[in-house]
Amino acid sequence: MSGTNGRTPVGIDALLERVRAGYQRIDVQEAHEAAHTGAALLVDIRYAALRERDGVIPGALVIERNELEWRLDPQGSHRAPEATGHDLRIVVICNEGYASSLAAASLHQLGLHRATDLVGGFQAWRAAGLPVEPVA
């Protein structure tokens, strides 16, 4: 048990299940409607190569995963202008809906209690025929 502080290590599947139990995930139609009405901020955390290959969701804020907490913390010195408060509804989008779950859980730890993620990620969005545009 070295390095685990006496606790049994948890696998990634169990960790995903645990963090996802802490909030309600969102499907593509709900995310599209929330973004269209201004009820949520879509945040694309995919790395540049995936955005260049597959395109981006129009209007989504692009923040790569390694900068996410710094850019969305409403109290942070490096926050994005869109990070207006802890009550902001944020929908985190990764490629397939796995990394975004961990990212949403991290945002919850910063007090962004309405953060969620997109079930199936960008690939589900694209498969549903929702708007995608090439990287400018």
Side-chain angles (χ1 to χ4, degrees):
M1 287 198 196
S2 178
T4 62
N5 297 325
R7 289 177 273 165
T8 303
V10 62
I12 188 61
D13 292 332
L15 179 60
L16 280 171
E17 186 176 321
R18 182 184 306 163
V19 300
R20 288 172 174 168
Y23 62 91
Q24 185 70 34
R25 300 180 80 208
I26 190 170
D27 68 26
V28 292
Q29 294 303 327
E30 188 178 354
H32 182 258
E33 180 63 24
H36 181 71
T37 63
L41 174 65
L42 302 184
V43 178
D44 186 342
I45 64 170
R46 295 175 302 138
Y47 52 90
L50 287 177
R51 293 191 313 270
E52 290 166 7
R53 182 188 78 190
D54 295 337
V56 293
I57 297 169
L61 179 63
V62 174
I63 302 176
E64 290 198 21
R65 176 63 189 100
N66 63 328
E67 298 179 359
L68 186 69
E69 291 82 358
W70 284 267
R71 304 286 288 144
L72 291 181
D73 178 2
Q75 300 173 340
S77 59
H78 294 87
R79 74 175 182 84
E82 294 86 352
T84 56
H86 286 94
D87 201 39
L88 181 65
R89 186 174 186 205
I90 298 168
V91 179
V92 183
I93 303 167
C94 68
N95 195 47
E96 295 182 348
Y98 296 99
S100 57
S101 294
L102 299 175
S106 182
L107 294 177
H108 277 253
Q109 291 178 325
L110 287 176
L112 294 158
H113 63 97
R114 295 182 69 207
T116 187
D117 76 312
L118 181 64
V119 175
F122 179 85
Q123 296 305 325
W125 179 280
R126 187 169 70 169
L130 293 171
V132 173
E133 62 189 19
V135 175

